Amino acid sequence: MTQTITPCPSCGAPLASVAGYPVWCSGCDWGLDVAEPRRRGLRERFDRWSSRKVEALYEEVARSPAERPGWDAARLASYGPALCVHLFTVALIAFAIWVLAAMRTPVLIFFAVLALLVAWALLPRFGSLRKMPDVRRRPDASALFALLDRVAAELGVRPVDAVVVSGDFNAAYGTVGLRRHRVLLLGLPLWESLTAQQKVALLGHEFAHGANGDSRHGVVVGTSLSTLVRLRALLRPGPPDDRLNYLIDLCLRAMQGVASSLVGSVLVLQHMVTLRAGQRAEYLADRLAARLASPEAAAGMLETLVIAEDTHLTAIQRHMLTGRKTGYWDDLRDALARLPASERERRLRAAARRRLRVDQSHPPTHLRIAVVRGLPAAAPALLLEPDEEQQIRAALTADYALIARRLHDDARERLG
Ligand SMILES: [Zn+2]
Ligand SMILES: [Zn+2]
């Protein structure tokens, strides 16, 4: 690796730059500028308000560790907008039934049908395991499920019924279907970037959402949030339609715009009232992850979340450009192992500079890392042995191949 030494344009300290990585100064943070869209007016005030809230909660959690939330005012309030959304849906259906049963005038029937259509759009979707792609059940990967069961037992939550593998750089835990099947969404690029004990920490964090009384993951608030997100995307005006008259198209898109921002405002409101409860639940999930895997591993897992995604994306690019079809996972592991310490530090500091925003589900990662690093060092409650990790990798061999192919093809498609 070639290193060139030049002075920092800002503070004059020697800059050590590693070929292939951006140049920056560890003394004064020169070169760390993070491009962020400038928001004005109400949005800027909202950003400042949310930064203050996020920081205040961090101070509080850092002083006294987050406990499982009781039924305080903040948590009760978090149900307000969600219940309103669901009650509105019920009211629309009741109105339609009443009109269709009692008063059959054409105008009212039109409104009844309209109400039913809106109610249909608002109705919570629970999804269906059978309709989801890439679902793995116990017999498909018994070594993985053995680990998942140990994590679930340790945290006192119900074991998962299925794992959905993907090429995303994330993981999530949720319930699917009316029977509320527990499902783990596992992005293999993130999974493969983690060390054995960091994998335990990731599972610990995700499974903790089934145990920490997090309303955002619950039936009432969770379905309302997903309904609003779906609705906002549905209503967002698309590009102009040439087949329509210009004025009609303009009106239609203006109406869509108004409806979409109306839904967006309810969503922001719901994020605001669930901020405290939701972000507390994230800190608590991190603490449970630290108890399970060790604070060191939990902090390492969070750092990998920040650091490794860029490496994963560049590795795919390079893989696609060289036209290679196999060996993607070896390349990723290799690239991560070769990542210089200064570049790791640069990515961590750049991420910490990004604006603190509440309209994100998790608290800023650097604050989560600080809280976990503040915990007393402790031995892990669950240890993932190297041979066990290897068995899990072997059980997922076909999935690794599938996801690598898909990442390769998607990257090629994006290139056009
Ligand atoms: Zn400098
Ligand atoms: Zn979480």
Side-chain angles (χ1 to χ4, degrees):
M1 227 167 265
T2 49
Q3 284 219 346
T4 45
I5 310 280
T6 45
C8 165
S10 174
C11 73
L15 286 179
S17 64
V18 183
Y21 296 99
V23 183
W24 69 291
C25 174
S26 61
C28 69
D29 282 358
W30 172 84
L32 269 194
D33 299 321
V34 182
E36 282 232 51
R38 181 106 177 85
R39 311 223 287 177
R40 290 178 188 287
L42 214 59
R43 279 169 172 275
E44 196 198 349
R45 293 235 304 266
F46 172 71
D47 283 349
R48 273 211 301 272
W49 174 87
S50 58
S51 295
R52 276 202 304 277
K53 291 278 172 201
V54 169
E55 269 164 353
L57 182 64
Y58 161 72
E59 301 284 343
E60 195 187 309
V61 172
R63 269 199 312 276
S64 60
E67 293 296 335
R68 196 191 142 92
W71 280 99
D72 59 355
R75 187 156 180 229
L76 277 175
S78 75
Y79 281 81
L83 284 174
C84 286
V85 169
H86 295 315
L87 278 177
F88 181 60
T89 314
V90 173
L92 286 173
I93 296 173
F95 165 76
I97 291 176
W98 172 66
V99 165
L100 295 176
M103 4 225 319
R104 298 217 186 96
T105 68
V107 178
L108 276 176
I109 287 178
F110 170 76
F111 279 111
V113 172
L114 196 68
L116 279 181
L117 283 175
V118 176
W120 171 248
L122 281 172
L123 226 49
R125 304 288 196 272
F126 293 106
S128 153
L129 254 189
R130 257 172 301 147
K131 287 187 192 148
M132 289 173 89
D134 307 320
V135 175
R136 304 292 172 259
R137 306 282 197 149
R138 257 152 222 286
D140 303 327
S142 50
L144 174 63
F145 276 89
L147 172 64
L148 301 183
D149 287 347
R150 280 168 69 199
V151 173
E154 196 63 50
L155 292 175
V157 297
R158 259 176 52 189
V160 290
D161 303 292
V163 172
V164 175
V165 294
S166 80
D168 297 337
F169 195 82
N170 68 17
Y173 170 91
T175 44
V176 175
L178 277 171
R179 286 169 59 201
R180 315 300 286 157
H181 291 293
R182 300 285 194 276
V183 179
L184 174 73
L185 305 174
L186 193 61
L188 290 186
L190 169 61
W191 183 250
E192 199 49 38
S193 302
L194 300 167
T195 64
Q197 218 43 35
Q198 291 174 0
K199 286 176 178 150
V200 175
L202 178 75
L203 295 176
H205 176 96
E206 293 308 331
F207 281 43
H209 283 306
N212 63 6
D214 176 2
S215 63
R216 286 185 190 187
H217 282 71
V219 184
V220 178
V221 181
T223 51
S224 153
L225 280 171
S226 56
T227 295
L228 291 173
V229 168
R230 196 184 66 238
L231 213 60
R232 188 179 55 175
L234 205 74
L235 290 171
R236 194 167 284 153
D241 191 340
D242 295 335
R243 288 165 305 175
L244 289 177
N245 172 293
Y246 174 73
L247 273 179
I248 294 178
D249 185 45
L250 200 69
C251 286
L252 273 178
R253 292 192 316 118
M255 266 154 60
Q256 275 182 315
V258 170
S260 157
S261 28
L262 214 67
V263 173
S265 326
V266 181
L267 192 62
V268 169
L269 182 76
Q270 189 154 4
H271 272 304
M272 278 163 75
V273 293
T274 51
L275 158 77
R276 217 184 133 70
Q279 296 213 343
R280 264 190 105 82
E282 296 300 338
Y283 284 120
L284 178 57
D286 286 340
R287 198 158 70 100
L288 293 177
R291 185 173 66 72
L292 195 71
S294 86
E296 182 58 37
M301 178 272 287
L302 292 170
E303 287 183 359
T304 304
L305 270 177
V306 174
I307 292 169
E309 186 166 16
D310 275 1
T311 305
H312 154 60
L313 295 174
T314 353
I316 295 177
Q317 288 283 322
R318 194 170 308 146
H319 210 73
M320 182 205 55
L321 291 174
T322 54
R324 287 176 53 195
K325 290 256 183 246
T326 53
Y328 170 69
W329 300 103
D330 294 329
D331 286 359
L332 174 65
R333 275 193 295 272
D334 203 46
L336 279 173
R338 277 189 290 108
L339 203 61
S342 67
E343 175 60 12
R344 289 174 163 266
E345 180 65 20
R346 189 192 68 80
R347 290 183 191 176
L348 283 173
R349 286 201 207 175
R353 280 189 153 214
R354 279 179 208 120
R355 201 92 58 86
L356 312 175
R357 293 255 297 272
V358 275
D359 42 351
Q360 276 149 8
S361 57
H362 289 64
T365 314
H366 69 283
L367 297 183
R368 294 170 63 194
I369 294 171
V371 168
V372 174
R373 287 233 180 267
L375 296 171
L382 195 160
L383 208 63
L384 179 61
E385 302 289 353
D387 61 326
E388 216 183 333
E389 191 189 17
Q390 204 46 52
Q391 280 165 16
I392 293 172
R393 197 172 280 134
L396 294 174
T397 306
D399 287 314
Y400 277 110
L402 171 83
I403 297 297
R405 250 195 330 273
R406 201 176 288 164
L407 287 169
H408 185 278
D409 294 346
D410 289 352
R412 169 142 297 173
E413 208 163 278
R414 271 199 304 279
L415 207 70

